[in-house]
Amino acid sequence: MFEAVNVVREQRGQGRNLFLCADGSAPLSGLLAEYAGQAQCVYIDPPFMTGESFTRRRRFGQSGWKSGRPTPEYPAFTDAYDSRESYLTFLRHLLENAHALLRPTGVLALHLDWHTSAYGRLLLDEIFGENAFLNEIIWAYESGGRARKFFSRKHDTILLYARTKNYRFDLQRVPLERTEHRKNHMRRRVDEDGRAYSEIRTGGKVYRYYDDAPVYPGDVWTDISHLQQRDPERTGYATQKPLKLLDRILRPVVQDGDLVIDLCCGSGTAMEAALALNCRCVGVDLSPEAILTTAHRVNSQDQTLICPCTMDDTRLEGIYTGDGGMLLITGFNATHPAFPKAEQALDVLESWSAGRLVGDVFVAAETFRRTPHTPELPVFCLLPPGEGDVAVSTVDAAGRRRVYKWVNE
């Protein structure tokens, strides 16, 4: 039989990537403090002081993952503060932690909107220094409604600050295709190799701009769209940013093996972008929903997950045939007011891992999760012999994590 246990730490592989359910604005301590002075890039997309409460839409069961149909909503996070002062205290502490986590060559990217970008700039000037300012990037997009009594607010602001004057930034890592010919009275020509270019003479010099040569982004980005409702990238988590945006932020700053930290990781976009660039990553968020969303999305084979367990009367039923044998899940009875009626057994189970408890750490050997491409969740595996008690970690369709230990009856 399976018996519920309270195990916070879960590990796969060597656990080099860390997803930590914690307050990124709290004084650095524990595991996070071990990364002080090591991050090449810290990205922060904090709450914007909107006063709103946000939810996440999660797919439910095999049919929900297969069809992508509208799904139940569950609480994600609240962007409400007692006062402006309490929000600015929170933001200040985030930025002070970012400053402490960055290495001398590192760069901070702070993502805000019109609610708080002015305050963010002033705090960064104070904490990092005015001379550390690199860019105020305008990410302009077309989405949402239209204002009638003022110009529609259709952009976010991303503030880039360097940790020291020896920061790393390589603009050539983010080339753009030239989409139109230069004008301004330039002459159109073709060289001896058949390459088209525009030419202008000024100050006694001739400048040539080839049509097929790369151009590079300025500080106004209009070519990255906001995620649409049915975008395949969507996790259902509110305020999710597009992967292309985070790739452009990180790519000029990081190299293979560098560490990227996100102190408000939300749906995990920065973590996915970092791993795609062969970087290590640390994602921190106060919301267990955010941490589990990130872990599900990234699905790293080399990660440590630190997230609280839900301790209730939910039972996990199954069969284990003995050391090195088969482990089979036969029942899981989690309930939630937002759950639709289950269409088939185990619909409420979103993912599960089989492994062993080694001390107070659950070490995963096999992990199974629903995705749009694999909506049917496998329910058995062969668990090889190993150290520790046989155990299973589960995440249900409401984003709640539980751990169970196998006990011989």
Side-chain angles (χ1 to χ4, degrees):
M1 61 176 290
F2 284 104
E3 177 184 282
V5 289
N6 189 16
V7 178
V8 173
R9 185 179 177 122
E10 186 170 321
Q11 183 172 314
R12 298 171 67 185
Q14 298 300 310
R16 294 172 69 246
N17 303 303
L18 173 65
F19 305 133
L20 174 63
C21 186
D23 184 355
S25 69
L28 291 181
S29 62
L31 271 179
L32 191 57
E34 297 177 12
Y35 293 96
Q38 296 186 37
Q40 177 56 30
C41 184
V42 175
Y43 172 76
I44 308 177
D45 178 13
F48 291 171
M49 201 171 64
T50 63
E52 299 180 37
S53 293
F54 294 91
T55 60
R56 181 194 172 191
R57 283 186 170 270
R58 301 178 72 98
R59 296 180 176 93
F60 184 87
Q62 180 177 333
S63 61
W65 278 94
K66 186 175 181 180
S67 67
R69 66 185 180 188
T71 51
E73 292 188 50
Y74 307 92
F77 67 95
T78 300
D79 187 4
Y81 292 84
D82 295 336
S83 64
R84 180 182 300 166
E85 289 69 27
S86 65
Y87 174 82
L88 293 181
T89 298
F90 159 75
L91 186 59
R92 174 187 290 277
H93 291 163
L94 277 177
L95 299 179
E96 289 172 344
N97 284 349
H99 189 269
L101 290 165
L102 283 167
R103 64 198 303 186
T105 58
V107 172
L108 167 75
L110 176 62
H111 191 141
L112 298 169
D113 74 353
W114 62 271
H115 291 89
T116 54
S117 59
Y119 300 113
R121 176 76 182 268
L122 292 173
L123 286 172
L124 284 168
D125 281 350
E126 178 184 339
I127 296 167
F128 280 71
E130 294 182 26
N131 292 334
F133 171 78
L134 301 180
N135 279 114
E136 181 180 54
I137 296 167
I138 302 301
W139 173 41
Y141 45 79
E142 291 292 330
S143 68
R146 290 283 184 260
R148 294 183 179 274
K149 294 188 176 180
F150 50 84
F151 297 113
S152 296
R153 296 160 182 159
K154 297 292 181 182
H155 78 271
D156 288 0
T157 300
I158 303 163
L159 299 169
L160 294 188
Y161 275 70
R163 179 63 178 82
T164 71
K165 65 180 180 179
N166 297 318
Y167 69 96
R168 185 198 304 151
F169 191 91
D170 184 0
L171 189 63
Q172 293 186 355
R173 284 174 58 85
V174 283
L176 302 174
E177 292 184 3
R178 195 183 300 276
T179 56
E180 60 181 34
H181 300 309
R182 291 178 177 265
K183 298 180 181 178
N184 299 330
H185 309 293
M186 292 187 182
R187 293 188 176 185
R188 299 287 300 150
R189 299 184 184 277
V190 177
D191 70 9
E192 59 277 9
D193 296 321
R195 296 176 65 198
Y197 64 92
S198 299
E199 183 179 274
I200 188 170
R201 182 183 296 271
T202 180
K205 295 182 179 179
V206 176
Y207 296 89
R208 183 179 292 188
Y209 301 95
Y210 281 93
D211 292 356
D212 58 358
V215 293
Y216 300 98
D219 59 3
V220 178
W221 299 350
T222 60
D223 61 322
I224 301 177
S225 64
H226 207 276
L227 290 179
Q228 304 303 313
Q229 288 298 321
R230 298 188 66 83
D231 195 294
E233 276 187 39
R234 276 205 175 273
T235 64
Y237 198 87
T239 71
Q240 180 182 344
K241 303 303 185 294
L243 188 60
K244 185 177 179 181
L245 178 70
L246 270 297
D247 178 82
R248 182 173 296 176
I249 292 170
L250 296 180
R251 191 176 287 271
V253 176
V254 301
Q255 295 176 354
D256 283 5
D258 282 340
L259 176 65
V260 174
I261 297 180
D262 187 342
L263 293 176
C264 297
C265 68
S267 64
T269 304
M271 305 295 91
E272 183 174 354
L275 291 176
L277 293 170
N278 200 29
C279 293
R280 296 175 295 131
C281 64
V282 173
V284 183
D285 204 292
L286 188 58
S287 166
E289 171 75 9
I291 293 300
L292 291 173
T293 299
T294 297
H296 188 289
R297 175 183 183 179
V298 171
N299 193 22
S300 169
Q301 299 300 316
D302 191 6
Q303 70 182 40
T304 296
L305 171 69
I306 298 182
C307 189
C309 280
T310 296
M311 299 298 294
D312 58 12
D313 59 358
T314 297
R315 297 189 310 277
L316 177 71
E317 298 171 354
I319 299 169
Y320 177 55
T321 61
D323 204 24
M326 182 184 71
L327 191 153
L328 172 69
I329 303 299
T330 59
F332 185 69
N333 72 331
T335 61
H336 191 280
F339 282 171
K341 184 178 179 180
E343 297 178 357
Q344 58 182 358
L346 301 179
D347 264 357
V348 299
L349 192 59
E350 183 175 277
S351 67
W352 66 284
S353 298
R356 296 181 180 271
L357 285 175
V358 181
D360 61 351
V361 180
F362 171 72
V363 181
E366 298 282 352
T367 297
F368 307 96
R369 61 192 71 239
R370 298 187 197 273
T371 72
H373 302 295
T374 57
E376 184 175 359
L377 189 65
V379 294
F380 72 93
C381 69
L382 294 176
L383 190 61
E387 178 188 358
D389 296 318
V390 172
V392 169
S393 173
T394 67
V395 177
D396 70 16
R400 297 170 299 185
R401 175 177 174 268
R402 300 173 179 87
V403 177
Y404 300 87
K405 178 175 69 172
W406 177 259
V407 179
N408 291 318
E409 297 184 80

